[in-house]
Amino acid sequence: MGMESFTRDVRDKVLHSLEESNRVPFLFVGSGISQRYMGSENWEELLKWVCESVGAPMRPFYIYRQQAQTTITSDNELYPRIAHLMEPDFLEATQDTRFHEWVDRHSQELERGTIAMKIYIADHLTDREPDRLIDELDALRRASNHVAGVITTNYDTLMEDIFPEYDCYIRQEDLLFSSLTGVGEIYKIHGSATDPRSMILDTHDYASFMEHKDYMMAKIMTLLGEYPVIFLGYSLSDPDVQSIITTLATCAGTERAQKMADRFIFVSYNTTNHSIENARSFNVGDCYM
């Protein structure tokens, strides 16, 4: 399928779904969007970048990965466990003279107990700006009145830059205890580079996230149950997506989850395959096995 034909096919299918629901959509945004417009890394690439940019006393990424694989019980735990193993070595690296200026600049955050590696990653991400396909981003900005809100697992600030008038919630307590309206709001469920302490990165963060996840997703489900949802920068095989859909299905029950799945649209792109999928291709019944 050529790009022009693919674009037309995506537009027609999305418009048909939106017309059926008679509501503007929520956007659920993953790392593929930041990769597309800013050349950013996914989670694994981000952790590799830390190892490579810091060097000794940090070890090659594959060592942390192999160590992590011997202690985890599910794939979702892999990257938090790798980050957990990396953090002490990164902290040791900050004692090197090449980090003295960086430590001075972030001394207050470090003294408050913010994990040093989170600050380092946040610096890297806040330095990034969109540098490609700007026309596409401008089109999305102009469509802000036709987007109900945004949910994202990304740390970067791309969504805030695109929708500057939206209220942004970045900490778990914001999501858990605020009165969310679902209109003109951005929910950063893995935290934000603007507040490194909020970032869901290591095993401690992941455990805390999982402890509150069902309640948080139940709250978000009240929004998603009413709106069509367009997933951008994800695929149905993404562990985050499968976990989210599983949690929604558990909270909603099979019948309601299937109705919600009819309004979930996945738009994906890579150099060899273009596709648009409906979430029904993810077997909601498997959530109860």
Side-chain angles (χ1 to χ4, degrees):
M1 181 186 296
M3 178 57 68
E4 183 178 344
S5 177
F6 169 69
T7 301
R8 185 169 56 251
D9 186 47
V10 169
R11 183 188 63 234
D12 292 346
K13 289 182 178 181
V14 170
L15 286 176
H16 176 70
S17 179
L18 298 182
E19 287 170 356
E20 283 195 332
S21 63
N22 197 31
R23 281 181 177 266
V24 295
F26 251 86
L27 304 183
F28 214 125
V29 178
S31 63
I33 290 299
S34 297
Q35 289 175 289
R36 180 173 178 82
Y37 297 111
M38 299 193 297
S40 298
E41 302 88 353
N42 60 27
W43 201 350
E44 177 173 315
E45 291 166 345
L46 191 60
L47 296 175
K48 282 184 180 178
W49 170 82
V50 174
C51 294
E52 292 167 359
S53 65
V54 174
M58 299 200 72
R59 291 171 285 180
F61 176 79
Y62 75 87
I63 294 179
Y64 297 112
R65 185 185 184 100
Q66 291 190 17
Q67 288 178 334
Q69 287 173 328
T70 65
T71 61
I72 62 173
T73 58
S74 73
D75 289 343
N76 287 339
E77 300 173 22
L78 178 60
Y79 297 124
R81 180 61 182 166
I82 292 172
H84 177 80
L85 293 170
M86 289 170 58
E87 286 171 349
D89 292 341
F90 179 85
L91 188 61
E92 182 181 349
T94 63
Q95 302 308 299
D96 191 281
T97 55
R98 60 202 164 101
F99 273 92
H100 282 181
E101 188 276 332
W102 184 88
V103 169
D104 287 343
R105 179 156 37 96
H106 293 290
S107 60
Q108 291 186 353
E109 293 170 275
L110 293 166
E111 288 171 4
R112 287 197 300 266
T114 306
I115 299 296
M117 196 170 85
K118 288 187 180 182
I119 301 172
Y120 187 70
I121 290 172
D123 279 354
H124 174 64
L125 294 176
T126 52
D127 283 343
R128 306 293 284 269
E129 294 183 358
D131 60 0
R132 56 188 75 179
L133 301 171
I134 301 302
D135 288 347
E136 287 185 9
L137 289 180
D138 287 342
L140 186 55
R141 287 188 181 94
R142 293 194 298 272
S144 60
N145 290 335
H146 304 285
V147 174
V150 179
I151 301 171
T152 181
T153 52
N154 296 346
Y155 303 134
D156 61 64
T157 60
L158 180 61
M159 290 300 104
E160 296 97 305
D161 294 340
I162 294 174
F163 303 110
E165 296 181 0
Y166 285 18
D167 294 326
C168 187
Y169 297 86
I170 65 174
R171 300 182 68 88
Q172 275 194 319
E173 53 265 37
D174 294 337
L175 292 166
L176 291 171
F177 303 116
S178 299
S179 298
L180 308 180
T181 67
V183 178
E185 296 176 336
I186 299 171
Y187 311 132
K188 304 188 73 168
I189 62 176
H190 283 181
S192 175
T194 61
D195 180 3
R197 295 189 72 170
S198 72
M199 292 163 59
I200 306 300
L201 183 68
D202 59 26
T203 52
H204 174 77
D205 303 322
Y206 182 74
S208 177
F209 177 77
M210 294 304 294
E211 181 181 351
H212 300 102
K213 182 180 177 183
D214 287 351
Y215 179 66
M216 182 174 68
M217 293 308 296
K219 198 165 187 178
I220 290 176
M221 187 187 69
T222 63
L223 306 177
L224 301 189
E226 302 298 327
Y227 293 90
V229 183
I230 301 176
F231 288 79
L232 300 170
Y234 288 107
S235 73
L236 279 170
S237 61
D238 188 295
D240 273 337
V241 169
Q242 294 199 4
S243 176
I244 288 164
I245 293 179
T246 297
T247 303
L248 289 173
T250 302
C251 294
T254 304
E255 183 176 350
R256 188 179 178 200
Q258 292 287 8
K259 291 180 180 178
M260 291 170 67
D262 285 337
R263 297 195 299 273
F264 285 7
I265 302 166
F266 288 78
V267 179
S268 60
Y269 171 83
N270 60 44
T271 56
T272 59
N273 179 53
H274 316 309
S275 66
I276 178 168
E277 303 172 271
N278 184 276
R280 274 191 176 272
S281 58
F282 180 82
N283 186 359
V284 177
D286 289 344
C287 300
Y288 299 94
M289 294 178 63

